[in-house]
């Protein structure tokens, strides 16, 4: 089993090689400039690599990019093997990254919270305190002097 530093180094190399090969070496119109490699993870035994990617576009573009990556998997693995120089080239698995969808969900929740805050701010704009502005009791000066003299 390889150490974590070696797996991390190999994952970084795979990410760079795959990104460069997609940009310059593969002429598949389904991939083009729409695909971005976001992360790569390699198992501890350096046998399998998972490549996370995002696609700029709609669901049809995502489906065609996934098919393009599956068809280019052999070419990409060969490029990784030539660059890595390891005894065994890891198998590549491409997974669509869920980061854009998670970010969209968070943005929607933040917009909902902003709208709720604005509604509370509008309702409370003309509100007054239920009691006095200063709710703490203060001793009267006259009462303190009268009790001290006795």
């Amino acid at each position: 089993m390889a150490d974590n530093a070696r797996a991390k180094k190999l994952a970084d190399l795979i990410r760079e090689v795959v990104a460069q090969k997609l940009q310059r070496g593969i002429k598949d119109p389904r991939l083009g400039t729409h695909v971005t490699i976001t992360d790569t993870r390699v198992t501890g035994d350096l046998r399998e690599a998972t490549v996370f990617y995002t696609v700029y576009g709609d669901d049809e573009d995502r489906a065609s990019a996934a098919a393009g990556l599956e068809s280019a998997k052999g070419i990409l693995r060969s490029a990784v093997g030539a660059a890595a120089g390891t005894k065994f080239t890891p198998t590549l698995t491409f997974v669509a990254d869920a980061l854009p969808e998670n970010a969209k969900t968070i943005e929607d929740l933040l917009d909902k919270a902003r709208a709720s805050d604005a509604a509370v701010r509008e309702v409370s704009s003309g509100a007054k305190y239920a009691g006095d502005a200063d709710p703490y009791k203060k001793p009267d000066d006259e009462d303190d002097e009268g009790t001290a003299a006795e």
Side-chain angles (χ1 to χ4, degrees), residues 1 3 9 11-12 15 24 28 31-33 42 52 56-57 61 74-75 77 82 84 115 128 133 135 145 150:
M1 182 166 236
D3 58 12
K9 196 181 230 184
D12 290 342
R15 186 179 66 239
R24 296 188 188 123
D28 193 343
L31 300 175
T33 58
V42 178
F52 295 93
Y56 182 72
D61 292 335
I75 296 169
R77 185 173 181 215
K128 298 187 188 236
E145 290 176 8
E150 291 179 16

Side-chain angles (χ1 to χ4, degrees), residues 122-140:
E122 188 171 320
V123 167
S124 67
S125 64
K128 298 187 188 236
Y129 292 106
D132 295 333
D134 187 11
Y136 299 106
K137 292 184 179 181
K138 295 181 182 172
D140 294 333

Side-chain angles (χ1 to χ4, degrees), residues 57-69:
D58 57 358
D59 289 334
E60 184 179 323
D61 292 335
R62 289 184 191 101
S64 66
L69 286 170

Side-chain angles (χ1 to χ4, degrees), residues 37-105:
I37 303 301
T38 56
D39 193 19
T40 306
R41 295 187 185 146
V42 178
T43 58
D45 60 356
L46 305 179
R47 295 282 180 164
E48 298 176 13
T50 305
V51 180
F52 295 93
Y53 67 94
T54 59
V55 179
Y56 182 72
D58 57 358
D59 289 334
E60 184 179 323
D61 292 335
R62 289 184 191 101
S64 66
L69 286 170
E70 278 300 314
S71 69
K73 188 184 286 189
I75 296 169
L76 294 172
R77 185 173 181 215
S78 297
V80 166
T86 57
K87 185 175 182 180
F88 181 81
T89 303
T91 58
L92 301 177
T93 305
F94 292 96
V95 176
D97 200 353
L99 185 68
E101 289 81 18
N102 291 344
K104 175 89 171 100
T105 303

